[in-house]
């Protein structure tokens, strides 16, 4: 049985996902296939590397630094509200303050994927861990480059924006890769109904060079809601297990309050107890296979 893990993006709301992932590590649950979007992709990297608490540090310990996010970061990075180069190169790269364990990722047989959106075509692009380099984590910069507040990231001659613009919850991709069961970590409650994007006039003006991307943003809520309904159906069939906050959270993609973000992490740790028995049962065949290797 091939077990997959899908991690939704959501900026700072992914502090919730980081708590769930840490406890999955504690329980020895490591899927065969991990795919993440935006901040969820970065969380997936630390998870596959086995670096417990690393994600929490990025959401809580570093968020208050001027170079991390905000207008100082915007000035220093040349136009990124999230200073992606500081986060994913200076802190994360080889010799960085909180270096991602590249060697551990490469040694781990688990597949690791990150979703970005091609700015020209509007289509999702799926980066694998073969696209990672210990001194260049542009893949995660691309996956996290939120349109309007971040500039697109160039990789191999292509410009990329946030993966959530084209494939917010890539469960279909996991199934196409052969996963029999998929754990889906959301940073919004299961009953979420996404509304149309705000500030349409603004993003249509700023992104006018990328009409297909603009179209994606116009219909993003429709795709998201349809995908969520499909995942719920898979859950009823026993092919998926959704882990999501029990309540709507008073937090945004851009929240900078470390105490609020720590509280979100703690909420995930508390709510994991309610999921744990169901999660272990869902992964029983996979865990048994791993134990026999």
């Amino acid at each position: 049985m091939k077990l997959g893990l899908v991690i939704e993006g959501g900026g700072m709301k992914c502090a919730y996902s980081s708590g769930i992932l840490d406890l999955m590590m504690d329980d020895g649950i490591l899927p065969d296939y991990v795919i993440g979007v935006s901040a969820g992709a970065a969380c997936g990297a630390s998870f596959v590397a086995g670096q417990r608490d690393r994600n929490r540090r990025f959401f809580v310990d570093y968020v208050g630094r001027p170079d991390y996010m905000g207008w100082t970061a915007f000035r220093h990075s040349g136009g990124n509200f999230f200073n992606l180069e500081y986060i994913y190169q200076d802190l994360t790269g080889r010799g960085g303050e909180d270096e991602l364990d590249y060697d551990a990722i490469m040694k781990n047989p688990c597949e690791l994927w990150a979703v970005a959106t091609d700015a020209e075509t509007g289509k999702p692009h799926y980066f694998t861990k073969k696209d990672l380099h210990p001194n260049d984590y542009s893949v995660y910069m691309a996956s996290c480059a939120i349109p309007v507040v971040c500039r697109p990231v160039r990789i191999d001659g292509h410009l990329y924006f946030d993966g959530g613009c084209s494939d917010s919850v890539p469960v279909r991709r996991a199934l196409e890769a052969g996963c029999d069961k998929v754990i889906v970590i959301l940073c919004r409650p299961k009953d979420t109904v996404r509304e149309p994007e705000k500030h349409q006039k603004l993003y249509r003006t700023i992104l006018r060079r990328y009409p297909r991307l603009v179209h994606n943003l116009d219909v993003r809520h429709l795709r998201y809601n349809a995908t969520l309904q499909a995942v719920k159906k898979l859950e009823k069939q026993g092919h998926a297990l959704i882990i999501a906050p029990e309540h709507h959270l008073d937090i945004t993609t851009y929240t900078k309050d470390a105490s609020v973000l720590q509280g979100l992490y703690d909420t995930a740790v508390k709510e994991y107890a309610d999921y744990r028995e169901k999660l272990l049962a869902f992964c029983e065949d996979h865990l048994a296979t791993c134990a026999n290797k």
Side-chain angles (χ1 to χ4, degrees):
M1 186 196 78
K2 186 173 182 178
L3 180 65
L5 171 64
V6 173
I7 311 168
E8 181 186 18
M12 307 313 289
K13 292 191 291 292
C14 284
Y16 181 89
S17 306
S18 67
I20 298 297
L21 292 170
D22 276 354
L23 292 185
M24 284 178 61
M25 257 189 265
D26 291 347
D27 279 331
I29 301 173
L30 179 62
D32 305 293
Y33 178 99
V34 174
I35 186 168
V37 181
S38 194
C43 286
S46 296
F47 176 72
V48 172
Q51 291 176 277
R52 194 190 191 286
D53 198 53
R54 182 175 184 273
N55 287 322
R56 187 202 63 80
R57 294 196 295 272
F58 274 78
F59 289 112
V60 177
D61 295 353
Y62 308 142
V63 68
R65 296 180 178 181
D67 280 333
Y68 188 100
M69 65 183 288
W71 294 115
T72 299
F74 186 88
R75 292 193 301 272
H76 289 178
S77 65
N80 288 319
F81 186 80
F82 287 95
N83 189 339
L84 300 176
E85 187 167 342
Y86 176 73
I87 297 169
Y88 295 116
Q89 303 288 35
D90 297 349
L91 292 176
T92 298
R94 186 79 83 189
E97 181 179 346
D98 207 330
E99 179 181 337
L100 181 64
D101 193 338
Y102 173 86
D103 295 333
I105 289 175
M106 294 300 137
K107 290 176 183 176
N108 193 325
C110 175
E111 296 180 50
L112 178 63
W113 296 80
V115 187
T117 301
D118 189 298
E120 299 288 347
T121 67
K123 295 180 179 180
H125 184 89
Y126 303 96
F127 290 100
T128 179
K129 63 182 179 182
K130 293 180 181 179
D131 297 305
L132 303 178
H133 304 280
N135 293 311
D136 184 1
Y137 290 108
S138 297
V139 164
Y140 297 117
M141 293 171 59
S143 187
C144 295
I146 301 172
V148 178
V149 300
C150 292
R151 293 177 289 107
V153 175
R154 185 177 295 277
I155 300 177
D156 295 333
H158 293 266
L159 294 175
Y160 295 99
F161 280 109
D162 191 305
C165 300
S166 55
D167 196 356
S168 296
V169 187
V171 171
R172 178 182 294 181
R173 181 74 178 186
L175 296 175
E176 291 173 349
C179 293
D180 303 287
K181 290 185 174 183
V182 183
I183 303 164
V184 183
I185 302 178
L186 304 176
C187 54
R188 301 169 178 83
K190 289 170 61 174
D191 63 355
T192 295
V193 176
R194 190 156 187 155
E195 300 293 332
E197 295 291 321
K198 299 177 181 178
H199 312 299
Q200 292 184 0
K201 185 176 181 179
L202 176 64
Y203 72 68
R204 287 172 181 170
T205 298
I206 294 175
L207 302 171
R208 60 188 177 276
R209 292 178 53 196
Y210 311 111
R212 291 183 175 88
L213 179 71
V214 169
H215 172 72
N216 279 1
L217 295 176
D218 287 344
V219 301
R220 183 178 184 179
H221 64 294
L222 301 177
R223 291 176 175 173
Y224 182 89
N225 294 336
T227 298
L228 194 54
Q229 289 305 312
V231 176
K232 289 179 181 178
K233 184 176 180 180
L234 286 169
E235 187 173 46
K236 290 180 180 179
Q237 296 169 346
H239 298 300
L241 177 64
I242 302 173
I243 299 177
E246 295 178 6
H247 306 288
H248 289 270
L249 307 167
D250 187 19
I251 187 173
T252 73
T253 301
Y254 311 101
T255 296
K256 294 181 65 175
D257 189 324
S259 63
V260 171
L261 293 165
Q262 179 66 55
L264 183 54
Y265 178 93
D266 294 341
T267 296
V269 170
K270 180 180 179 181
E271 292 183 357
Y272 183 86
D274 298 327
Y275 284 106
R276 186 173 184 270
E277 184 175 343
K278 185 185 297 186
L279 177 60
L280 291 173
F282 184 77
C283 302
E284 183 176 6
D285 292 343
H286 172 75
L287 293 173
T289 300
C290 292
N292 292 328
K293 286 183 179 179

